[in-house]
Amino acid sequence: MASAALAASAAASQSMRNREILDAVGTTAAALSLVGSSFIVLCYLLFRELRKFSFKLVYFLAVADMLCSLFTIMGGPANAFYCFAHDYSAHFFCVASFLWTTTIAFTLHRTVVKHKTDVEDFGSIFHLYVWGTSLATTVLRSIGSDYGRPGTWCWIQQGSMGKILHLVTFYLPLWGAILYNGFTYYQVNRMLNNATRMAVGISDRSIQSDMRADKKAFNRWGYYPLILIGSWSFATINRLYDFANPGHKIFWLSILDVGFAGLMGLFNSIAYGLNSSVRRAIAERLDMFLPERIKRSLPTLSRLRSQQENELTSLIVESNNRHNNAGST
């Protein structure tokens, strides 16, 4: 009896240490995402030249990431109210985050592949789609929840029905967004490749230059679907394993789960938000206020000011101009 009690005590102590490690990893990752996404939000609010439709989508993506990270940090299984806030709010804003990435992909596809210039007309539809879908999945996720008894993992219900609902309301939209983004970027890439070959065939140097700029920009965007894959692959594997083997958790997989999922906001802020437009806006402000002696020691400022924009905003604007010019001729 004494040995059994000692073993149980040791197991409980180990479980508590594991939980503390997971909490530390998850909180650190979420804090980094909170800083990164808050920086993009601040840039949008401070720099008027960034308030274009394409970057407005990035702004709302950053807002969703910021609030998802904030509520992830706030969530605490020791308190029923905060467990409630964590489950509902983090779920809502995390779903909104990867849904905003699909609106960016849709905007790029409609402009480059469909040759449409009406993307700004979809602003209200985007909000209805993102926030409405997030709310619907959150309400559906709450079915059968008992927040009066928070446990070690208040994000996951213990019953099989709760786990199925979690997979359906979170991971199904997640991987749907990943597949949509991947297919969209593939079509945009194919369109740019075809346009480049046509430009080479007719020996139009100006068009070739435009296509090379667009292609260079897309070489970076083509990796954006990998952000969601990298952030949520371990979490998906962990959920499926937990569904197949209830009550048995793999500690190292749980660390990768909470770590990479918590970094999604940071990854998004770097990939979508920290583009040449943002860097140039920051460089211009620094150029205005820094002493000349310091500016000479920072050649990066000059390079950023003269850097040609090859990011999402420029591709949309330049593509629109080319299509408008083509239509007028």
Side-chain angles (χ1 to χ4, degrees):
M1 293 291 292
S3 60
L6 184 61
S9 176
S13 177
Q14 181 64 39
S15 177
M16 181 61 67
R17 283 196 296 270
N18 290 348
R19 178 61 192 179
E20 291 174 352
I21 294 173
L22 289 174
D23 283 344
V25 171
T27 300
T28 301
L32 291 174
S33 290
L34 179 62
V35 172
S37 54
S38 299
F39 174 76
I40 299 304
V41 170
L42 186 63
C43 287
Y44 178 84
L45 297 176
L46 291 179
F47 304 145
R48 187 177 298 274
E49 62 269 30
L50 295 179
R51 297 175 191 175
K52 303 173 183 178
F53 179 75
S54 56
F55 198 80
K56 185 179 293 186
L57 299 180
V58 176
Y59 164 74
F60 285 116
L61 168 64
V63 169
D65 283 330
M66 181 179 66
L67 294 174
C68 175
S69 301
L70 177 63
F71 283 107
T72 298
I73 295 173
M74 287 175 57
N79 183 286
F81 173 78
Y82 285 115
C83 190
F84 174 92
H86 175 279
D87 201 4
Y88 272 78
S89 303
H91 185 280
F92 177 87
F93 288 109
C94 286
V95 171
S97 173
F98 52 75
L99 291 182
W100 277 116
T101 68
T102 65
T103 67
I104 296 173
F106 173 86
T107 301
L108 184 63
H109 180 271
R110 188 168 180 82
T111 303
V112 177
V113 179
K114 298 295 185 181
H115 309 319
K116 301 293 185 180
T117 60
D118 60 349
V119 289
E120 295 191 24
D121 297 337
F122 288 85
S124 299
I125 298 176
F126 286 163
H127 282 285
L128 181 62
Y129 153 68
V130 172
W131 305 122
T133 303
S134 301
L135 179 61
T137 58
T138 303
V139 171
L140 184 60
R141 172 73 177 85
S142 67
I143 296 176
S145 299
D146 182 4
Y147 296 99
R149 297 184 294 105
T152 305
W153 299 91
C154 61
W155 179 263
I156 301 176
Q157 294 171 315
Q158 296 301 317
S160 60
M161 180 55 67
K163 294 177 181 179
I164 292 175
L165 283 174
H166 192 197
L167 291 174
V168 170
T169 60
F170 189 88
Y171 289 95
L172 186 61
L174 166 66
W175 286 96
I178 290 173
L179 292 176
Y180 174 79
N181 290 350
F183 177 74
T184 298
Y185 285 114
Y186 166 76
Q187 287 197 316
V188 173
N189 184 44
R190 186 176 63 177
M191 178 69 183
L192 292 178
N193 284 333
N194 292 338
T196 302
R197 285 194 294 267
M198 291 177 61
V200 172
I202 62 177
S203 300
D204 190 324
R205 293 183 178 274
S206 63
I207 297 180
Q208 290 181 37
S209 177
D210 289 341
M211 289 298 103
R212 282 195 297 268
D214 292 349
K215 182 65 176 175
K216 182 179 179 181
F218 183 80
N219 286 337
R220 178 182 177 183
W221 305 331
Y223 292 104
Y224 287 178
L226 297 179
I227 294 175
L228 288 178
I229 295 175
S231 297
W232 294 103
S233 290
F234 293 113
T236 303
I237 295 172
N238 200 20
R239 297 298 173 268
L240 293 175
Y241 179 84
D242 180 69
F243 183 79
N245 301 274
H248 182 266
K249 297 186 180 297
I250 303 177
F251 181 60
W252 63 266
L253 183 59
S254 296
I255 289 181
L256 295 175
D257 172 356
V258 299
F260 279 91
L263 289 173
M264 178 183 66
L266 178 63
F267 295 152
N268 283 336
S269 64
I270 294 174
Y272 289 95
L274 199 59
N275 54 37
S276 61
S277 298
V278 175
R279 295 195 300 270
R280 186 165 55 252
I282 295 174
E284 290 174 354
R285 295 327 187 267
L286 293 176
D287 188 57
M288 292 173 57
F289 297 106
L290 286 179
E292 190 64 31
R293 178 174 55 84
I294 297 179
K295 287 190 290 187
R296 284 197 299 268
S297 65
L298 297 174
T300 304
L301 294 178
S302 301
R303 185 170 65 253
L304 286 173
R305 288 197 303 270
S306 61
Q307 181 180 2
Q308 180 180 5
E309 181 167 343
N310 292 323
E311 306 291 343
L312 178 60
T313 302
S314 64
L315 176 58
I316 292 176
V317 173
E318 291 170 9
S319 297
N320 287 343
N321 292 338
R322 284 199 300 273
H323 300 322
N324 291 335
N325 293 336
S328 62
T329 58

